[in-house]
Amino acid sequence: MIVNEPDLCDLNVDEVYGGSRNGNASDDPLPRLLSVDNGAGFRHLGKRPEVRTLKLLALKTNFSDINWPDSLDRESGIFIYYGDKRSPGDLHQTPRQGNLMLRNLFDEAHNHSKSEHFPPILLFGNTGIYRDLRFLGLAVPGAENLGSDDDLVAVWRTTEDDIRFQNYKATFTVLDVPVISRAWIQDMQAGNAVGSAHAPKPWLDWVSGRKFSPLRSQPTKNIRSKSQQLPDTDELRAYVKLVYTFYKDDPYLFERCAMELAKLFLVNIREYEITRPWRDGGRDAIGLYRIGHGAGAIDVEFAMEAKCYGTNVAVGVKALSRLISRLRHRQFGILVTTSYLDSQAYQELVQDGHPVVIISGGDLALKLKRKFGSLDKVRIWLERI
């Protein structure tokens, strides 16, 4: 359902809030919904960039910028947001002071004493229909498993002209608050978010003691369709095509590439061995994956199967069963493919609870784009392998 009277309603998680249909900036529902400004991803009410003078913030993302891949993990309640620096220069010199606000918010969050004032942060995502927005939840800076050195980090990027610059990558937690009442929104607008009788308890618990209560949502279906496993744009399809073309005439060489790809996803792979073609026994590689840190860590064995297929050729039941049948007790499997796992094989995998990680063509494309940027840099990486 689309709510078309935003200035009168509560905010419900995952509900869509619509504006007008004029085809211009007036379609934006956020000014009516929250009295914030329009036209930017990082909206504010109050005086920026200081925390004490901000009344509320609205973070809006379209989730479609491959170079700056904002993401919401609904299972963990973690939201990743990239700042507004898009070119070389001072990290904090941006037109709307978005990165300054990020820095100040996280500085305040790292102060574990009670905050007498803190602006609520409301997350919204584009729906692709006019300027309608989906409310994603109430967020706070940081996460329960991250320290102050990890929740706001400056990451390096490279322009098309090969010039390096930095931008912020911020980690937020979406709190277990299903509804933001209109009464609390009115108190936010008056600058009384913390003292309001309508402020939700999980948010107050964080403000007073930095206690995280994430909104976690378990998926009802873990079986990804063909379209969910493959790249969904021509740009991303080019990355998979590059890898496939590079190795299609020698699938055994792809096994080493597949292990390097797996290491991009599973960074704690410690050591591995590519098995000989005539002795692999259903496993193209075996290795160790480290869980934990220091003297208390353990190494878990894994086996990997690699399939360099065109995107119109599925990995079927036979290939998956071959890998599963070779997994020993306390091992897990990794299937790396430039294609996808067909529906029957995926269904059997999930229903039977086999410990196999699926890395499909769409997964590879996104990772390579985010890691290396241009196709030329991916090609250099492949040649080095």
Side-chain angles (χ1 to χ4, degrees):
M1 183 182 73
I2 299 178
V3 177
N4 290 312
E5 294 183 344
D7 52 338
L8 303 175
C9 63
D10 299 336
L11 292 179
N12 294 278
V13 167
D14 274 352
E15 194 158 51
V16 175
Y17 297 85
S20 60
R21 296 293 190 260
N22 298 321
N24 54 41
S26 66
D27 294 343
D28 189 344
L30 282 179
R32 285 183 60 197
L33 191 66
L34 299 172
S35 299
V36 295
D37 55 335
N38 65 5
F42 209 159
R43 315 290 187 86
H44 72 284
L45 181 64
K47 186 178 180 181
R48 64 189 184 201
E50 301 299 330
V51 171
R52 60 185 176 82
T53 54
L54 287 168
K55 298 179 180 180
L56 68 90
L57 289 165
L59 285 184
K60 182 176 74 70
T61 178
N62 57 23
F63 292 121
S64 62
D65 190 335
I66 298 298
N67 295 308
W68 306 103
D70 296 346
S71 62
L72 173 60
D73 185 338
R74 288 175 169 81
E75 292 187 45
S76 64
I78 297 300
F79 176 67
I80 303 297
Y81 178 80
Y82 287 85
D84 56 2
K85 188 66 177 175
R86 299 291 191 266
S87 60
D90 189 325
L91 176 62
H92 300 109
Q93 291 297 320
T94 59
R96 301 180 64 85
Q97 299 181 299
N99 277 7
L100 266 177
M101 287 190 281
L102 279 176
R103 186 196 67 184
N104 294 339
L105 288 169
F106 279 82
D107 282 349
E108 177 65 23
H110 297 152
N111 177 8
H112 286 272
S113 60
K114 180 178 179 179
S115 297
E116 296 300 328
H117 174 81
F118 200 88
I121 304 168
L122 305 172
L123 304 182
F124 295 86
N126 284 358
T127 64
I129 301 173
Y130 285 88
R131 301 202 182 193
D132 296 352
L133 297 174
R134 187 181 305 278
F135 177 56
L136 303 176
L138 173 66
V140 292
E144 56 190 349
N145 62 337
L146 293 180
S148 58
D149 292 335
D150 303 311
D151 52 13
L152 182 69
V153 295
V155 295
W156 285 99
R157 289 290 187 269
T158 305
T159 68
E160 293 182 356
D161 299 327
D162 214 28
I163 304 298
R164 292 168 294 179
F165 67 100
Q166 285 185 304
N167 190 19
Y168 274 136
K169 177 184 177 182
T171 300
F172 292 87
T173 296
V174 178
L175 296 179
D176 189 6
V177 179
V179 181
I180 305 298
S181 71
R182 177 53 52 178
W184 189 37
I185 293 174
Q186 291 171 344
D187 285 342
M188 296 179 203
Q189 294 168 333
N192 188 35
V194 174
S196 171
H198 307 287
K201 186 177 184 301
W203 187 76
L204 291 176
D205 288 343
W206 182 87
V207 168
S208 62
R210 302 303 185 257
K211 177 184 176 182
F212 291 96
S213 301
L215 174 59
R216 296 188 173 101
S217 177
Q218 295 301 317
T220 57
K221 183 178 180 181
N222 292 314
I223 302 171
R224 292 191 292 171
S225 66
K226 175 182 176 180
S227 63
Q228 290 173 325
Q229 295 179 69
L230 291 176
D232 58 1
T233 67
D234 289 340
E235 180 186 24
L236 290 176
R237 281 187 279 272
Y239 287 84
V240 176
K241 183 179 179 180
L242 174 61
V243 176
Y244 170 70
T245 303
F246 205 92
Y247 292 104
K248 66 178 181 178
D249 296 328
D250 195 338
Y252 296 121
L253 286 180
F254 177 65
E255 294 168 6
R256 187 169 298 278
C257 173
M259 179 54 69
E260 294 301 319
L261 288 165
K263 288 164 62 179
L264 296 180
F265 290 85
L266 304 168
V267 296
N268 289 333
I269 290 177
R270 286 176 51 78
E271 56 185 71
Y272 65 89
E273 176 186 357
I274 304 297
T275 57
R276 296 178 180 178
W278 57 90
R279 296 182 54 191
D280 66 8
R283 301 169 299 179
D284 293 328
I286 55 177
L288 298 176
Y289 182 82
R290 171 143 292 193
I291 300 175
H293 301 279
I298 61 172
D299 290 329
V300 179
E301 293 182 343
F302 69 86
M304 185 199 73
E305 182 82 356
K307 294 298 180 186
C308 186
Y309 290 171
T311 54
N312 60 337
V313 179
V315 179
V317 172
K318 182 178 179 180
L320 180 66
S321 298
R322 183 170 175 261
L323 173 61
I324 292 172
S325 66
R326 299 303 191 272
L327 294 179
R328 299 198 300 268
H329 182 54
R330 294 183 179 176
Q331 282 188 333
F332 71 95
I334 305 171
L335 175 65
V336 181
T337 178
T338 51
S339 181
Y340 65 99
L341 186 63
D342 79 10
S343 58
Q344 181 182 349
Y346 219 132
Q347 186 170 358
E348 292 182 9
L349 174 70
V350 172
Q351 289 180 347
D352 295 340
H354 295 298
V356 177
V357 178
I358 304 298
I359 301 175
S360 68
D363 303 325
L364 299 182
L366 282 170
K367 182 63 72 173
L368 290 172
K369 171 66 177 176
R370 294 173 183 176
K371 176 71 175 178
F372 299 104
S374 71
L375 288 170
D376 287 339
K377 291 182 179 179
V378 175
R379 186 178 291 106
I380 292 171
W381 180 72
L382 294 175
E383 291 170 349
R384 288 174 177 170
I385 295 174

